[in-house]
mmCIF file of all heavy atoms in Angstrom:
data_model
loop_
_atom_site.group_PDB
_atom_site.id
_atom_site.type_symbol
_atom_site.label_atom_id
_atom_site.label_comp_id
_atom_site.label_asym_id
_atom_site.label_seq_id
_atom_site.Cartn_x
_atom_site.Cartn_y
_atom_site.Cartn_z
ATOM 1 N N VAL E 1199 9.672 -3.996 -7.535
ATOM 2 C CA VAL E 1199 10.698 -4.986 -7.805
ATOM 3 C C VAL E 1199 11.316 -5.355 -6.476
ATOM 4 O O VAL E 1199 11.794 -4.495 -5.742
ATOM 5 C CB VAL E 1199 11.778 -4.410 -8.757
ATOM 6 C CG1 VAL E 1199 12.859 -5.427 -8.998
ATOM 7 C CG2 VAL E 1199 11.147 -3.982 -10.060
ATOM 8 N N ASP E 1200 11.268 -6.625 -6.184
ATOM 9 C CA ASP E 1200 11.870 -7.095 -4.953
ATOM 10 C C ASP E 1200 13.334 -7.414 -5.220
ATOM 11 O O ASP E 1200 13.712 -8.573 -5.455
ATOM 12 C CB ASP E 1200 11.138 -8.326 -4.410
ATOM 13 C CG ASP E 1200 9.732 -7.997 -3.958
ATOM 14 O OD1 ASP E 1200 9.503 -6.824 -3.614
ATOM 15 O OD2 ASP E 1200 8.877 -8.901 -3.946
ATOM 16 N N ALA E 1201 14.155 -6.386 -5.237
ATOM 17 C CA ALA E 1201 15.578 -6.564 -5.472
ATOM 18 C C ALA E 1201 16.245 -6.979 -4.172
ATOM 19 O O ALA E 1201 15.953 -6.426 -3.119
ATOM 20 C CB ALA E 1201 16.197 -5.264 -5.980
ATOM 21 N N PRO E 1202 17.128 -7.937 -4.263
ATOM 22 C CA PRO E 1202 17.819 -8.340 -3.037
ATOM 23 C C PRO E 1202 18.742 -7.237 -2.559
ATOM 24 O O PRO E 1202 19.373 -6.553 -3.361
ATOM 25 C CB PRO E 1202 18.604 -9.584 -3.460
ATOM 26 C CG PRO E 1202 18.762 -9.454 -4.936
ATOM 27 C CD PRO E 1202 17.563 -8.702 -5.426
ATOM 28 N N VAL E 1203 18.786 -7.056 -1.287
ATOM 29 C CA VAL E 1203 19.655 -6.050 -0.700
ATOM 30 C C VAL E 1203 20.987 -6.715 -0.406
ATOM 31 O O VAL E 1203 21.045 -7.709 0.321
ATOM 32 C CB VAL E 1203 19.029 -5.476 0.595
ATOM 33 C CG1 VAL E 1203 19.961 -4.479 1.228
ATOM 34 C CG2 VAL E 1203 17.685 -4.868 0.296
ATOM 35 N N MET E 1204 22.038 -6.153 -1.008
ATOM 36 C CA MET E 1204 23.357 -6.754 -0.833
ATOM 37 C C MET E 1204 24.285 -5.736 -0.201
ATOM 38 O O MET E 1204 24.277 -4.565 -0.561
ATOM 39 C CB MET E 1204 23.922 -7.220 -2.177
ATOM 40 C CG MET E 1204 23.080 -8.294 -2.839
ATOM 41 S SD MET E 1204 23.789 -8.869 -4.375
ATOM 42 C CE MET E 1204 25.156 -9.815 -3.789
ATOM 43 N N SER E 1205 25.090 -6.199 0.699
ATOM 44 C CA SER E 1205 26.077 -5.319 1.316
ATOM 45 C C SER E 1205 27.362 -5.388 0.508
ATOM 46 O O SER E 1205 27.531 -6.225 -0.379
ATOM 47 C CB SER E 1205 26.333 -5.740 2.764
ATOM 48 O OG SER E 1205 26.933 -7.015 2.783
ATOM 49 N N SER E 1206 28.299 -4.515 0.826
ATOM 50 C CA SER E 1206 29.571 -4.528 0.112
ATOM 51 C C SER E 1206 30.345 -5.809 0.409
ATOM 52 O O SER E 1206 31.117 -6.284 -0.416
ATOM 53 C CB SER E 1206 30.401 -3.301 0.480
ATOM 54 O OG SER E 1206 30.696 -3.319 1.870
ATOM 55 N N ALA E 1207 30.120 -6.417 1.568
ATOM 56 C CA ALA E 1207 30.781 -7.679 1.892
ATOM 57 C C ALA E 1207 30.297 -8.784 0.964
ATOM 58 O O ALA E 1207 31.053 -9.677 0.596
ATOM 59 C CB ALA E 1207 30.534 -8.038 3.345
ATOM 60 N N ALA E 1208 29.027 -8.731 0.548
ATOM 61 C CA ALA E 1208 28.498 -9.741 -0.360
ATOM 62 C C ALA E 1208 29.134 -9.613 -1.741
ATOM 63 O O ALA E 1208 29.371 -10.613 -2.407
ATOM 64 C CB ALA E 1208 26.991 -9.611 -0.463
ATOM 65 N N PHE E 1209 29.413 -8.390 -2.192
ATOM 66 C CA PHE E 1209 30.080 -8.207 -3.466
ATOM 67 C C PHE E 1209 31.509 -8.735 -3.425
ATOM 68 O O PHE E 1209 32.006 -9.258 -4.409
ATOM 69 C CB PHE E 1209 30.089 -6.736 -3.877
ATOM 70 C CG PHE E 1209 28.770 -6.249 -4.394
ATOM 71 C CD1 PHE E 1209 28.078 -5.249 -3.749
ATOM 72 C CD2 PHE E 1209 28.214 -6.800 -5.540
ATOM 73 C CE1 PHE E 1209 26.864 -4.810 -4.223
ATOM 74 C CE2 PHE E 1209 26.989 -6.368 -6.020
ATOM 75 C CZ PHE E 1209 26.309 -5.367 -5.358
ATOM 76 N N ASP E 1210 32.174 -8.599 -2.300
ATOM 77 C CA ASP E 1210 33.551 -9.092 -2.190
ATOM 78 C C ASP E 1210 33.618 -10.598 -2.377
ATOM 79 O O ASP E 1210 34.599 -11.118 -2.901
ATOM 80 C CB ASP E 1210 34.150 -8.701 -0.840
ATOM 81 C CG ASP E 1210 34.369 -7.195 -0.714
ATOM 82 O OD1 ASP E 1210 34.410 -6.513 -1.759
ATOM 83 O OD2 ASP E 1210 34.495 -6.714 0.429
ATOM 84 N N SER E 1211 32.576 -11.294 -1.961
ATOM 85 C CA SER E 1211 32.593 -12.744 -2.109
ATOM 86 C C SER E 1211 32.238 -13.176 -3.529
ATOM 87 O O SER E 1211 32.545 -14.285 -3.929
ATOM 88 C CB SER E 1211 31.637 -13.388 -1.106
ATOM 89 O OG SER E 1211 30.311 -13.010 -1.402
ATOM 90 N N VAL E 1212 31.577 -12.317 -4.307
ATOM 91 C CA VAL E 1212 31.172 -12.665 -5.662
ATOM 92 C C VAL E 1212 32.241 -12.286 -6.684
ATOM 93 O O VAL E 1212 32.526 -13.041 -7.612
ATOM 94 C CB VAL E 1212 29.837 -11.963 -6.009
ATOM 95 C CG1 VAL E 1212 29.450 -12.209 -7.445
ATOM 96 C CG2 VAL E 1212 28.746 -12.428 -5.079
ATOM 97 N N LEU E 1213 32.826 -11.121 -6.533
ATOM 98 C CA LEU E 1213 33.786 -10.616 -7.497
ATOM 99 C C LEU E 1213 35.175 -11.204 -7.250
ATOM 100 O O LEU E 1213 35.554 -11.469 -6.109
ATOM 101 C CB LEU E 1213 33.853 -9.088 -7.418
ATOM 102 C CG LEU E 1213 32.552 -8.367 -7.760
ATOM 103 C CD1 LEU E 1213 32.705 -6.880 -7.517
ATOM 104 C CD2 LEU E 1213 32.158 -8.614 -9.196
ATOM 105 N N PRO E 1214 35.939 -11.387 -8.324
ATOM 106 C CA PRO E 1214 37.299 -11.902 -8.130
ATOM 107 C C PRO E 1214 38.201 -10.830 -7.522
ATOM 108 O O PRO E 1214 37.901 -9.643 -7.585
ATOM 109 C CB PRO E 1214 37.751 -12.253 -9.548
ATOM 110 C CG PRO E 1214 36.952 -11.359 -10.434
ATOM 111 C CD PRO E 1214 35.624 -11.196 -9.735
ATOM 112 N N VAL E 1215 39.291 -11.267 -6.957
ATOM 113 C CA VAL E 1215 40.262 -10.360 -6.376
ATOM 114 C C VAL E 1215 40.997 -9.656 -7.510
ATOM 115 O O VAL E 1215 41.415 -10.283 -8.492
ATOM 116 C CB VAL E 1215 41.266 -11.141 -5.494
ATOM 117 C CG1 VAL E 1215 42.325 -10.205 -4.952
ATOM 118 C CG2 VAL E 1215 40.539 -11.854 -4.377
ATOM 119 N N VAL E 1216 41.128 -8.354 -7.410
ATOM 120 C CA VAL E 1216 41.795 -7.571 -8.444
ATOM 121 C C VAL E 1216 43.301 -7.723 -8.284
ATOM 122 O O VAL E 1216 43.860 -7.501 -7.205
ATOM 123 C CB VAL E 1216 41.397 -6.084 -8.347
ATOM 124 C CG1 VAL E 1216 42.120 -5.261 -9.398
ATOM 125 C CG2 VAL E 1216 39.896 -5.935 -8.492
ATOM 126 N N GLN E 1217 43.934 -8.105 -9.381
ATOM 127 C CA GLN E 1217 45.386 -8.289 -9.354
ATOM 128 C C GLN E 1217 46.085 -6.963 -9.598
ATOM 129 O O GLN E 1217 45.504 -6.044 -10.160
ATOM 130 C CB GLN E 1217 45.809 -9.278 -10.439
ATOM 131 C CG GLN E 1217 45.168 -10.646 -10.293
ATOM 132 C CD GLN E 1217 45.481 -11.550 -11.484
ATOM 133 O OE1 GLN E 1217 46.002 -11.094 -12.490
ATOM 134 N NE2 GLN E 1217 45.148 -12.821 -11.344
#
Side-chain angles (χ1 to χ4, degrees):
V1199 178
D1200 293 335
V1203 178
M1204 298 182 73
S1205 65
S1206 62
F1209 284 118
D1210 292 341
S1211 65
V1212 175
L1213 298 175
V1215 177
V1216 178
Q1217 301 173 349

